Amino acid sequence: MQIGLVGLGKMGGSMRERLRGAGHTVIGYDTNPALSDVPGLVDLVQGLDRPRAVWVMVPAGGATQHVIDQLSTLLKPGDIVVDGGNSRWTDDEKHAKELHARGIGFVDAGVSGGVWGLQNGYALMVGGDDEHIDALKPVFEALKPDGPYGYVHAGKVGAGHFAKMVHNGIEYAIMQAYAEGWELLEKADSVDNVREVFRSWQQGTVIRSWLLDLAVNALDDDHHLEKLRGWADDSGEGRWTVEAAVDNAVPLPAITASLYARFASRQENSPQMRMVAALRNQFGGHAVKK
Amino acid sequence: MQIGLVGLGKMGGSMRERLRGAGHTVIGYDTNPALSDVPGLVDLVQGLDRPRAVWVMVPAGGATQHVIDQLSTLLKPGDIVVDGGNSRWTDDEKHAKELHARGIGFVDAGVSGGVWGLQNGYALMVGGDDEHIDALKPVFEALKPDGPYGYVHAGKVGAGHFAKMVHNGIEYAIMQAYAEGWELLEKADSVDNVREVFRSWQQGTVIRSWLLDLAVNALDDDHHLEKLRGWADDSGEGRWTVEAAVDNAVPLPAITASLYARFASRQENSPQMRMVAALRNQFGGHAVKK
Amino acid sequence: MQIGLVGLGKMGGSMRERLRGAGHTVIGYDTNPALSDVPGLVDLVQGLDRPRAVWVMVPAGGATQHVIDQLSTLLKPGDIVVDGGNSRWTDDEKHAKELHARGIGFVDAGVSGGVWGLQNGYALMVGGDDEHIDALKPVFEALKPDGPYGYVHAGKVGAGHFAKMVHNGIEYAIMQAYAEGWELLEKADSVDNVREVFRSWQQGTVIRSWLLDLAVNALDDDHHLEKLRGWADDSGEGRWTVEAAVDNAVPLPAITASLYARFASRQENSPQMRMVAALRNQFGGHAVKK
Amino acid sequence: MQIGLVGLGKMGGSMRERLRGAGHTVIGYDTNPALSDVPGLVDLVQGLDRPRAVWVMVPAGGATQHVIDQLSTLLKPGDIVVDGGNSRWTDDEKHAKELHARGIGFVDAGVSGGVWGLQNGYALMVGGDDEHIDALKPVFEALKPDGPYGYVHAGKVGAGHFAKMVHNGIEYAIMQAYAEGWELLEKADSVDNVREVFRSWQQGTVIRSWLLDLAVNALDDDHHLEKLRGWADDSGEGRWTVEAAVDNAVPLPAITASLYARFASRQENSPQMRMVAALRNQFGGHAVKK
């Protein structure tokens, strides 16, 4: 089928390639002319036969809002917009309403797979009405991994991004789990070769996983990760997961601890620990570092 | 090769079967005569040619200590004892010393794989001297999974159990991660079918893993886990992981949160939350439940 | 001075009393006629000389919004509204703007002190412009505790509620701290009388505090808190504190743990722990409770 | 009464002064001759009339063990040793047994008050038999704060140090609570003067406490704690509290989070966060810092 694809960065660019590989016709637009198939969004829309499908793959927030605002005026009733970016699930209902008012359908798609997606396929969690999702089936089939899994219609509008958000929250805690274990093993006197312990876990253990495989890859590149700084960014979904937990009164101790570990990793001179140091000094005369 | 196997419970019994399937001669002893190949530990020892290897697979603590004490008098210099139970790594050095004083070798083996080990093989993390471990290679080869991974000589005596302990600590946090995410998804209005979301994650996602596959199995048995109580035991290794972290000043926020969630799950009427309720009532006149 | 007071519940009613005790003229309005000085909000406004000050002390959210909407039409330029309820700080700017458009001033006031405020005075954290706050000084002076502390102009509009919110977040963690320590002491074999240990801490220790005094009161009422259920509600500010932390990338491990402990205390059969139990059963055949 | 005091450091030195101020006869011994009243421990023991009482105030662990070993040979049946250091409660029973075998009594005393103890008195939590504790009453009375609180006979041998340990665990979490709140307030756009907010909390609030007073002192010295590094040591009791919690299956999320925050504060380049960064880079091509 034909599809418009807005945003041809690391993810969007690979998705165009995978879609074309599957025989679909993709018209891609990016603000960077070197990546773009057409000079503008208008050209993208005009290049597609109706009813059109346009997949938006740009940064969450302002950029996505901007593209959706433009598409709401360029598209016609019966067309469909897919937001495949990392939008907050609360934006989806707003976008769906805005487009619905003009007769345009909306589907939200959480996309996982990172830089490996081109090769392995992208896991897709989608939300929206059956009719819109059915219309997009060929595209979802082309993007998803081969095999029985990797795609789900999770529920109504917002469910795709909500599921993807929770996926990322889980991801934070699993990464933190391996990271904590790795640090403790590195500290143990008796253990000679932590990398080989991790490698051995890839079969037969309860904790075998793709992230474990990646950890072994990373340790093969840099045996003790000595070239890296202990600095980890976070990308929105982890924060939203905690916010959703607070909204729903669901305790998420491990996921939240993982998010907070990232916050702390980016602080040069922790204000709260300066206060703890100051208090220890006040009552006990304990040494502080200046 | 020949090997004595002490303890023929859920794990030991399956290991005997896997070892025999690989062509080894196993003399098994268990205090339960219905399971045992021989009437007593003496018979087990006498049935093996020297130098002998005896694998101990009994509960950690007193039971293991008791068997090792007996073996230290029954075995001869050049023989080797393997502790494949879930012993605390700090016991290993003590056991090694006790046996070494009589010329007997000692190897500690952390064994993962649970009820799936018979079929898939057991992941093994072993600690000890090269000569003892080399002597046991055929046994390790038979027990481990087919394929390149699933076995590691982690370091000196104690390293096997330390590595297994950390493995279990990581396991706690990964299980907690999926569990937290599952609860949050179950609370979300937009998501219709959490089980199908979990199922879809089995391919293409960053969080695909064996534990995820098991979660899907569990949800296939009981769609919303309504037949279960939210009650989770813990088995020693999680606690020792936290103790090792405290000893080494390594922060383990996610693993510890996972252990504490299990502690809390077993409390009928949390004392600490009664104090919190009492304090809220004291200063704010807030309602309490009696 | 004259002041209108809207909302005469547990807090508002005591504040009226304290203000009158200090010689101020208070016209109180409540939807409950038994508590109210006047039949309606219109009467309250008409009863005050201009420029008027009206203190709103009703539940945060819809109720506060409703009163402010009404006051914005009833009051005149030069009048001032104080929101002394537990509003989210993000509402303050919205309310200030709405009132400013009609020439009406706005001050947000975080009020602490609970049921003890009538006797001890209310701690006040206020946000807003100097001119509005200066106009209200006599009221603040009457409400605050005697002595040098208990009142602060924290910053611009929103700062009062933000400071009060953080106060409550800290309060959650301090309560949790005593509660955790109490539970551990109750478990210790060697300690005979935990209540007397708590009592002794009221002098000379690093952890003496008003909340400790209240803990002793509670234990005097019910030596082992056996009449209570371990069930603790939360009131908004704890959640907002975590949300503000997430917004600002500030790690709040102890405060968040305290909030989550409350969430968990209200769950009869924790979904996440059912998943943990299910996973343990899947891989290890571990017993579950049904 | 007469008492021997071994260890005249920051704490021991002040205690000697307070005891003498109360009219007691103190013979102090320290390995530093400049502080010591007598040349050796033998002289201290010989200088006291029988039955003697000797208070040990030296670092926990080896130093305390060494002094108790010496005293067990120098003292006579009917004498009493008090360990007022920060010993682990599990050492107390061992020490009591060693001394009991020679007819010497043992009391463990947890002492709080830090550098303020000389002026305000020391809070005391003591464990041991009634007869030994009765014999020491005059000393406890002299050391404790004036007023009704600040002293408790918590239970049998070990109870004093256990109670003091839990006191310190609580202290960790209360300090962390204020520290977290302070950092969040410092980040808030609307709040002008965090120090004045803290100062205002000293009256009328739910969170007023001695540690809050100390926080204000610290902020008066250094308005934004800019002269300090966010580096906080820990002193044993926090770790033992977590170990005791793990032993007793008591969840201590806030106290443990506070301990871990200190561990993390002392790491220059967190190993676990290097692993998290490495994993993010592996699957998502996310930027890392080198």
Side-chain angles (χ1 to χ4, degrees):
Chain A
M1 66 179 275
Q2 285 186 330
I3 187 152
L5 182 52
V6 182
L8 300 166
K10 208 158 46 175
M11 287 290 280
S14 304
M15 288 166 70
R16 176 171 61 178
E17 198 173 335
R18 190 166 169 98
L19 286 166
R20 284 179 178 163
H24 296 295
T25 302
V26 183
I27 304 181
Y29 168 69
D30 196 281
T31 52
N32 178 352
L35 303 172
S36 198
D37 300 326
V38 288
L41 204 52
V42 177
D43 312 278
L44 177 144
V45 169
Q46 288 174 347
L48 297 165
D49 299 329
R50 292 181 61 185
R52 308 173 188 102
V54 180
W55 188 295
V56 182
M57 205 68 199
V58 302
T64 294
Q65 185 64 57
H66 181 66
V67 172
I68 287 177
D69 287 347
Q70 288 182 283
L71 289 173
S72 77
T73 63
L74 294 171
L75 295 175
K76 298 291 174 201
D79 294 345
I80 304 173
V81 171
V82 184
D83 179 8
N86 286 320
S87 295
R88 205 178 197 278
W89 87 99
T90 45
D91 288 345
D92 292 324
E93 210 172 330
K94 204 173 56 178
H95 294 155
K97 214 178 263 179
E98 177 183 351
L99 294 164
H100 182 74
R102 293 169 178 268
I104 306 166
F106 178 80
V107 169
D108 61 288
V111 181
S112 181
V115 294
W116 298 79
L118 176 56
Q119 177 187 324
N120 295 347
Y122 300 90
L124 300 173
M125 294 139 258
V126 304
D129 293 349
D130 284 339
E131 58 165 325
H132 302 134
I133 283 169
D134 287 347
L136 289 154
K137 266 285 166 61
V139 166
F140 296 147
E141 287 293 330
L143 289 173
K144 75 175 280 297
D146 298 334
Y149 311 123
Y151 167 80
V152 68
H153 179 185
K156 61 183 183 183
V157 162
H161 281 136
F162 195 95
K164 175 57 168 39
M165 174 194 80
V166 174
H167 164 282
N168 282 35
I170 294 172
E171 176 192 302
Y172 276 48
I174 297 179
M175 289 164 74
Q176 180 70 21
Y178 289 117
E180 292 180 4
W182 182 74
E183 178 170 339
L184 186 55
L185 281 171
E186 285 280 344
K187 278 281 186 99
D189 288 336
S190 60
V191 178
D192 290 335
N193 199 328
V194 177
R195 183 181 65 193
E196 297 315 308
V197 171
F198 263 60
R199 193 190 311 283
S200 81
W201 287 344
Q202 290 178 281
Q203 272 185 277
T205 67
V206 176
I207 61 173
R208 60 191 190 263
S209 73
W210 190 58
L211 275 165
L212 176 66
D213 299 342
L214 296 183
V216 174
N217 288 355
L219 296 172
D220 278 337
D221 289 351
D222 180 2
H223 195 156
H224 299 285
L225 305 179
E226 286 163 334
K227 295 178 203 144
L228 290 178
R229 263 192 50 206
W231 185 99
D233 210 347
D234 72 280
S235 59
E237 282 98 345
R239 300 188 187 201
W240 302 333
T241 303
V242 172
E243 288 171 0
V246 165
D247 276 352
N248 287 288
V250 172
L252 297 191
I255 290 174
T256 308
S258 309
L259 179 66
Y260 285 171
R262 293 192 183 187
F263 289 171
S265 80
R266 304 198 300 262
Q267 295 185 312
E268 281 300 323
N269 186 10
S270 163
Q272 63 189 240
M273 299 318 292
R274 285 172 6 225
M275 176 54 90
V276 169
L279 287 170
R280 293 186 81 236
N281 181 255
Q282 284 286 328
F283 70 73
H286 296 290
V288 292
K289 299 216 173 185
K290 306 216 171 189
Chain B
M1 66 178 276
Q2 285 185 329
I3 186 154
L5 182 53
V6 182
L8 300 166
K10 207 157 47 176
M11 287 290 281
S14 303
M15 287 166 69
R16 176 172 60 177
E17 198 174 335
R18 191 166 168 99
L19 285 166
R20 285 179 177 163
H24 296 294
T25 301
V26 183
I27 304 181
Y29 168 68
D30 196 280
T31 52
N32 178 353
L35 303 172
S36 197
D37 300 325
V38 287
L41 204 52
V42 177
D43 311 278
L44 177 143
V45 169
Q46 287 174 347
L48 297 166
D49 299 329
R50 291 181 60 185
R52 306 173 188 100
V54 181
W55 188 295
V56 182
M57 205 68 200
V58 303
T64 295
Q65 184 65 55
H66 180 66
V67 171
I68 287 177
D69 287 346
Q70 287 182 282
L71 289 173
S72 77
T73 64
L74 293 171
L75 295 176
K76 298 290 175 202
D79 294 344
I80 305 173
V81 171
V82 184
D83 179 8
N86 285 321
S87 296
R88 206 178 197 279
W89 88 100
T90 45
D91 288 344
D92 293 323
E93 209 172 331
K94 205 172 55 178
H95 294 156
K97 215 178 261 180
E98 177 184 350
L99 294 164
H100 181 75
R102 293 168 178 269
I104 306 166
F106 178 81
V107 169
D108 60 288
V111 180
S112 180
V115 295
W116 298 79
L118 175 57
Q119 177 187 323
N120 294 347
Y122 300 90
L124 301 173
M125 294 140 257
V126 304
D129 292 348
D130 284 339
E131 57 165 325
H132 302 134
I133 283 168
D134 287 347
L136 289 155
K137 266 285 166 63
V139 167
F140 295 147
E141 286 293 330
L143 289 173
K144 74 176 281 297
D146 299 334
Y149 311 122
Y151 167 80
V152 68
H153 179 185
K156 61 182 183 182
V157 163
H161 280 136
F162 195 95
K164 176 56 168 40
M165 174 194 80
V166 174
H167 165 281
N168 282 34
I170 293 171
E171 176 191 303
Y172 276 47
I174 296 179
M175 288 164 74
Q176 180 70 21
Y178 288 117
E180 293 179 3
W182 182 73
E183 179 171 338
L184 186 55
L185 281 172
E186 285 279 344
K187 279 280 186 99
D189 288 336
S190 60
V191 177
D192 290 334
N193 199 329
V194 177
R195 184 181 65 193
E196 298 315 307
V197 171
F198 264 61
R199 194 190 310 284
S200 81
W201 287 345
Q202 291 178 279
Q203 272 185 275
T205 68
V206 176
I207 62 171
R208 59 191 190 263
S209 74
W210 190 58
L211 276 165
L212 176 66
D213 298 343
L214 296 183
V216 174
N217 288 354
L219 296 172
D220 278 337
D221 289 351
D222 181 2
H223 194 154
H224 299 284
L225 304 180
E226 285 163 333
K227 295 177 203 145
L228 291 177
R229 263 192 50 208
W231 184 100
D233 210 348
D234 73 280
S235 59
E237 282 97 345
R239 298 189 188 200
W240 302 333
T241 304
V242 172
E243 288 171 0
V246 164
D247 277 351
N248 286 287
V250 171
L252 298 191
I255 290 173
T256 308
S258 308
L259 179 67
Y260 285 171
R262 293 191 184 188
F263 289 170
S265 80
R266 304 198 300 261
Q267 296 185 313
E268 281 300 322
N269 186 10
S270 162
Q272 63 189 240
M273 299 319 291
R274 286 174 4 228
M275 176 53 91
V276 169
L279 287 170
R280 293 187 81 236
N281 182 254
Q282 283 286 328
F283 70 73
H286 296 291
V288 292
K289 298 216 172 185
K290 306 216 170 189
Chain C
M1 65 180 277
Q2 285 187 329
I3 186 154
L5 182 53
V6 183
L8 300 167
K10 208 159 44 177
M11 287 290 280
S14 303
M15 287 166 70
R16 176 173 59 178
E17 199 174 335
R18 190 166 168 98
L19 285 166
R20 284 180 178 162
H24 296 294
T25 302
V26 184
I27 304 181
Y29 168 69
D30 196 281
T31 52
N32 178 350
L35 302 172
S36 198
D37 299 325
V38 287
L41 205 51
V42 177
D43 312 277
L44 179 144
V45 169
Q46 287 175 348
L48 296 166
D49 298 329
R50 290 181 61 185
R52 307 172 188 102
V54 181
W55 187 295
V56 182
M57 204 69 199
V58 303
T64 295
Q65 184 65 56
H66 181 66
V67 172
I68 286 177
D69 288 346
Q70 287 183 282
L71 289 174
S72 78
T73 64
L74 294 172
L75 295 176
K76 298 291 175 202
D79 294 345
I80 305 174
V81 171
V82 183
D83 179 8
N86 285 321
S87 295
R88 204 178 198 279
W89 88 99
T90 46
D91 287 345
D92 293 322
E93 209 172 330
K94 204 173 55 178
H95 294 156
K97 216 178 261 179
E98 177 184 349
L99 293 164
H100 181 74
R102 293 169 178 268
I104 305 165
F106 178 80
V107 168
D108 61 289
V111 180
S112 180
V115 295
W116 299 78
L118 175 56
Q119 177 187 324
N120 294 347
Y122 299 91
L124 300 173
M125 295 140 257
V126 304
D129 293 348
D130 284 338
E131 58 164 326
H132 302 133
I133 283 169
D134 287 347
L136 289 154
K137 267 285 167 62
V139 167
F140 296 148
E141 287 292 331
L143 289 172
K144 74 175 282 296
D146 299 333
Y149 311 123
Y151 167 81
V152 67
H153 179 185
K156 61 182 184 183
V157 163
H161 280 136
F162 195 95
K164 175 57 168 40
M165 175 194 79
V166 174
H167 165 280
N168 282 34
I170 294 171
E171 176 191 302
Y172 276 48
I174 296 179
M175 289 164 73
Q176 180 70 21
Y178 288 117
E180 293 180 2
W182 182 74
E183 179 171 339
L184 186 55
L185 281 172
E186 285 279 344
K187 279 279 186 99
D189 288 335
S190 60
V191 177
D192 290 335
N193 199 330
V194 177
R195 184 182 65 194
E196 297 315 308
V197 171
F198 263 61
R199 194 190 310 283
S200 81
W201 287 344
Q202 290 178 278
Q203 271 185 276
T205 68
V206 176
I207 62 172
R208 60 191 190 263
S209 73
W210 190 59
L211 275 165
L212 176 66
D213 299 342
L214 295 183
V216 174
N217 287 355
L219 296 172
D220 278 337
D221 288 352
D222 181 2
H223 194 156
H224 298 285
L225 304 180
E226 286 164 334
K227 294 178 204 145
L228 290 178
R229 262 191 52 207
W231 185 99
D233 209 347
D234 73 279
S235 59
E237 282 98 345
R239 299 188 186 200
W240 302 334
T241 304
V242 172
E243 288 171 1
V246 165
D247 277 352
N248 286 287
V250 171
L252 297 191
I255 290 173
T256 308
S258 309
L259 179 66
Y260 285 172
R262 295 192 183 186
F263 289 171
S265 80
R266 304 198 300 261
Q267 296 185 312
E268 282 300 322
N269 186 11
S270 163
Q272 63 190 239
M273 298 319 291
R274 287 178 358 231
M275 176 54 90
V276 169
L279 287 170
R280 293 187 81 235
N281 182 254
Q282 283 286 328
F283 70 73
H286 296 290
V288 292
K289 299 217 171 183
K290 307 214 170 190
Chain D
M1 66 179 276
Q2 285 186 330
I3 187 154
L5 182 53
V6 182
L8 300 167
K10 207 158 46 176
M11 288 290 280
S14 303
M15 287 166 71
R16 176 172 59 177
E17 197 174 335
R18 190 165 168 99
L19 285 166
R20 285 180 177 162
H24 296 295
T25 302
V26 184
I27 304 181
Y29 167 69
D30 196 281
T31 51
N32 178 352
L35 303 172
S36 198
D37 298 326
V38 286
L41 205 52
V42 177
D43 311 278
L44 178 145
V45 170
Q46 288 175 347
L48 296 166
D49 298 330
R50 291 180 62 184
R52 307 173 188 102
V54 181
W55 188 296
V56 182
M57 205 68 199
V58 303
T64 295
Q65 185 66 56
H66 181 65
V67 172
I68 286 177
D69 287 347
Q70 286 182 282
L71 289 174
S72 77
T73 63
L74 294 172
L75 294 176
K76 298 291 175 202
D79 293 345
I80 304 173
V81 171
V82 184
D83 179 9
N86 285 321
S87 296
R88 204 177 198 279
W89 88 99
T90 45
D91 288 345
D92 292 324
E93 210 173 329
K94 204 173 56 179
H95 294 156
K97 214 178 261 179
E98 178 183 350
L99 293 164
H100 182 74
R102 294 170 178 267
I104 305 166
F106 178 80
V107 169
D108 61 288
V111 180
S112 180
V115 295
W116 298 78
L118 174 56
Q119 177 187 325
N120 295 347
Y122 300 91
L124 300 173
M125 294 139 258
V126 304
D129 293 349
D130 283 339
E131 57 165 325
H132 302 134
I133 283 170
D134 287 347
L136 289 155
K137 267 284 168 64
V139 167
F140 296 148
E141 287 293 332
L143 289 173
K144 74 175 282 295
D146 299 333
Y149 311 123
Y151 167 80
V152 68
H153 179 184
K156 61 182 183 183
V157 163
H161 280 135
F162 195 94
K164 175 57 167 40
M165 174 194 80
V166 174
H167 165 281
N168 281 35
I170 294 171
E171 175 191 303
Y172 276 48
I174 297 179
M175 288 163 74
Q176 180 70 19
Y178 289 117
E180 293 179 3
W182 182 73
E183 178 170 339
L184 186 55
L185 281 172
E186 285 279 344
K187 279 279 186 99
D189 288 336
S190 60
V191 178
D192 290 335
N193 198 329
V194 178
R195 184 181 64 193
E196 297 315 308
V197 171
F198 263 60
R199 193 190 311 282
S200 81
W201 287 345
Q202 290 178 279
Q203 271 184 277
T205 68
V206 176
I207 62 172
R208 61 190 190 263
S209 73
W210 190 57
L211 275 165
L212 176 66
D213 298 342
L214 296 184
V216 174
N217 287 355
L219 296 172
D220 278 336
D221 288 352
D222 181 2
H223 194 156
H224 299 285
L225 304 180
E226 286 163 334
K227 295 178 204 146
L228 290 178
R229 262 190 53 207
W231 185 100
D233 210 348
D234 71 281
S235 59
E237 282 98 345
R239 299 188 185 200
W240 302 332
T241 304
V242 172
E243 288 171 1
V246 165
D247 277 352
N248 287 288
V250 172
L252 297 191
I255 290 174
T256 308
S258 308
L259 179 65
Y260 285 172
R262 294 192 184 187
F263 289 171
S265 80
R266 305 198 299 261
Q267 296 186 312
E268 282 300 323
N269 186 10
S270 162
Q272 63 189 239
M273 299 319 291
R274 285 171 7 224
M275 176 54 89
V276 169
L279 287 170
R280 295 186 80 235
N281 180 254
Q282 283 286 328
F283 70 73
H286 296 291
V288 292
K289 299 217 171 183
K290 306 216 171 191

